[in-house]
């Protein structure tokens, strides 16, 4: 596969990470540079790691991933998004304070949910008998960069508009989960 095709795949895969990081950027009020780095490492790392798993699994696991991966991503994003909406609507100060906490558990779930499609890309590379090293580097670096951009942009938007962006963030995560599910079921092709 040529460089341009690989770059386009990397950008396409990074869009989910960008959307989620944008959402987290405008919902986390006190995000630090080290937390931004953790987001980028997790999102970029999972985006690079999942194609390797897909490539190693090859065609043997293709039916399993194409059947269950969209559902797993949908459920994870639905739960996280619903929790964000619930905390925002609860209206008490404690929920707002909790929503601003940085959580490795949530970060891991988000990174998994946004990188499941990268697993399928790894299967494609295995089927095409393509070397995986350059693509995973490009995929990981692209997701890393898009995550940082999304967090900074989200923070700027969140600071400018303030208020109840957590509701919007939760809705965006749920819609992203629905999109992944519909694409996985072959109902939506974008």
């Amino acid at each position: 596969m040529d460089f341009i095709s690989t770059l386009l795949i990397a950008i396409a895969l990074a869009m989910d990470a960008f959307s989620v990081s944008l959402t987290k950027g405008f919902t986390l009020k006190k995000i630090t540079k080290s937390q931004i780095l953790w987001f980028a490492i997790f999102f970029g790392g999972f985006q690079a790691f999942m194609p390797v798993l897909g490539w190693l699994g090859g065609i043997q696991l293709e039916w399993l991933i194409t059947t269950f991966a969209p559902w797993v991503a949908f459920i994870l994003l639905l739960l996280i998004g619903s929790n964000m909406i619930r905390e925002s609507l609860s209206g008490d100060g404690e929920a707002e304070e909790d929503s601003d906490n940085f959580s490795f558990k949530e970060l891991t779930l988000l990174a998994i949910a946004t990188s499941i499609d990268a697993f399928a890309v790894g299967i494609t590379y295995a089927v095409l008998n393509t070397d995986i090293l350059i693509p995973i580097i490009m995929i990981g670096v692209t997701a890393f960069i898009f995550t940082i951009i999304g967090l900074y942009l989200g923070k700027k938007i969140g600071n400018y508009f303030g208020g109840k962006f957590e509701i919007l963030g939760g809705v965006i995560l749920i819609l992203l989960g629905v999109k992944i599910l519909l694409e996985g079921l072959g109902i939506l092709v974008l």
Side-chain angles (χ1 to χ4, degrees):
M1 200 168 290
D2 66 3
F3 178 81
I4 298 297
S5 298
T6 303
L7 181 61
L8 291 174
I9 288 170
I11 291 170
L13 290 174
M15 293 314 291
D16 288 349
F18 174 78
S19 298
V20 171
S21 62
L22 182 71
T23 299
K24 293 308 285 182
F26 54 69
T27 59
L28 290 173
K29 293 161 194 63
K30 299 178 222 166
I31 191 164
T32 66
K33 288 181 181 179
S34 66
Q35 290 169 342
I36 290 171
L37 184 61
W38 279 116
F39 268 94
I41 289 170
F42 269 64
F43 282 23
F46 272 89
Q47 287 286 353
F49 179 66
M50 293 299 258
V52 173
L53 287 181
W55 187 76
L56 291 173
I59 335 177
Q60 291 80 14
L61 298 176
E62 180 180 14
W63 70 271
L64 181 67
I65 295 306
T66 56
T67 303
F68 294 109
W71 287 99
V72 171
F74 168 71
I75 291 168
L76 289 173
L77 291 171
L78 176 67
L79 291 174
I80 294 167
S82 298
N83 188 53
M84 286 174 66
I85 292 169
R86 181 189 55 78
E87 286 179 353
S88 180
L89 293 176
S90 70
D92 61 6
E94 184 178 316
E96 187 173 315
E97 184 178 305
D98 287 347
S99 71
D100 206 34
N101 286 341
F102 177 80
S103 162
F104 278 107
K105 179 182 173 187
E106 182 185 50
L107 178 57
T108 302
L109 292 175
L110 288 171
I112 291 169
T114 59
S115 65
I116 289 176
D117 52 350
F119 187 96
V121 168
I123 292 172
T124 303
Y125 282 122
V127 169
L128 296 174
N129 199 21
T130 303
D131 183 38
I132 193 94
L133 181 61
I134 299 301
I136 63 168
I137 292 169
M138 289 176 67
I139 289 167
V141 168
T142 303
F144 183 92
I145 292 168
F146 275 48
T147 300
I148 291 172
I149 293 169
L151 285 164
Y152 276 115
L153 185 59
K155 183 154 180 55
K156 291 289 183 197
I157 292 170
N159 287 341
Y160 181 72
F161 288 104
K164 295 282 185 178
F165 258 96
E166 196 160 10
I167 294 172
L168 179 60
V171 169
I172 289 171
L173 290 182
I174 292 169
L175 291 175
L176 182 60
V178 170
K179 176 187 161 283
I180 290 169
L181 178 62
L182 293 176
E183 285 174 345
L185 297 174
I187 296 171
L188 179 67
V189 180
L190 292 177

